[in-house]
Amino acid sequence: MFDFTPGPEPVDPTPQVEAHLTAAFGEPTGRAGVTFVGADRIEVLRFGPDAGDVVRYATLGMSRAPMADPAAVLADPIAGPRAELVLSVRGGHDSVLRPLAVLGATPQVEGLVIAPGASLDLGGPLWDGAGFHAVLVAEPGGLLADLPLPEPADAVRFFPLLPMTPAEAAWKRAQGAEALQEKWLRAGTDLRDPNRRAVPLG
């Protein structure tokens, strides 16, 4: 006889993720949603500006399903890495909402597992008039703690996105994420400055 006992129900942490973001940043000051063919709806929440005039944009819905290795024959609907993306920019640029939603849908649309150190290329400005066409995925935990989920689901991690100029993105491809972050650190680069120039790469 075959055993047709159903496995654990898929986990949708979206309400907990929104509560987690709100507890950290306060009530959202704006939100937008984008639906892509072959993917669930991705929302982007705006928080702030805070006392330092920093606005934070966070995806909501990316963690609805775990990211799966595109080479895997069968994706686990429960276990596996889950993430949301957070971008911090001084002054705010709401035209970033759609590009950020596109990045949030990438794991579903392209089967991409996003991890720290990865480059995500937008193929155009991060927001209208921006000098950044790519972002570096930074280590989570500094801005927002992980959100634990009931086992066997993995915790939701919140990846900060660091805007890169085309020159920085090319240099990162050649030298690696750690080397670029070291350049930023030594130069005292304000990565939340929407008008900053590329760090000296010589």
Side-chain angles (χ1 to χ4, degrees):
M1 294 180 62
F2 294 103
D3 182 4
F4 291 107
T5 304
E9 287 292 320
V11 177
D12 182 0
T14 305
Q16 297 100 302
V17 170
E18 183 166 357
H20 193 68
L21 290 165
T22 300
F25 301 138
E27 290 294 327
T29 54
R31 66 194 305 152
V34 182
T35 302
F36 301 94
V37 175
D40 293 324
R41 179 180 175 85
I42 300 291
E43 289 191 278
V44 177
L45 307 184
R46 181 186 66 205
F47 299 91
D50 63 13
D53 197 33
V54 174
V55 177
R56 305 192 192 280
Y57 298 94
T59 60
L60 180 65
M62 178 178 164
S63 63
R64 190 175 287 114
M67 294 181 283
D69 184 339
V73 176
L74 185 63
D76 191 315
I78 300 175
R82 296 175 189 255
E84 299 287 354
L85 308 176
V86 182
L87 175 73
S88 302
V89 59
R90 186 166 287 107
H93 289 272
D94 286 355
S95 56
V96 77
L97 294 170
R98 183 173 178 81
L100 196 53
V102 169
L103 295 181
T106 301
Q108 292 184 65
V109 175
E110 298 183 15
L112 180 68
V113 178
I114 294 175
S119 299
L120 302 177
D121 196 326
L122 292 147
L126 184 53
W127 59 79
D128 291 347
F132 313 104
H133 290 208
V135 293
L136 175 65
V137 180
E139 290 285 346
L143 187 62
L144 273 172
D146 294 350
L147 174 64
L149 299 178
E151 293 184 354
D154 292 25
V156 179
R157 308 177 79 194
F158 297 86
F159 293 139
L161 299 181
L162 309 178
M164 295 187 290
T165 67
E168 289 171 339
W171 199 84
K172 182 265 177 185
R173 285 193 295 272
Q175 303 295 329
E178 188 175 341
L180 177 58
Q181 289 177 296
E182 182 64 26
K183 284 279 189 184
W184 284 335
L185 184 63
R186 289 185 178 179
T189 305
D190 182 0
L191 296 170
R192 299 172 298 182
D193 180 357
N195 302 310
R196 75 172 183 85
R197 296 184 180 276
V199 70
L201 298 169

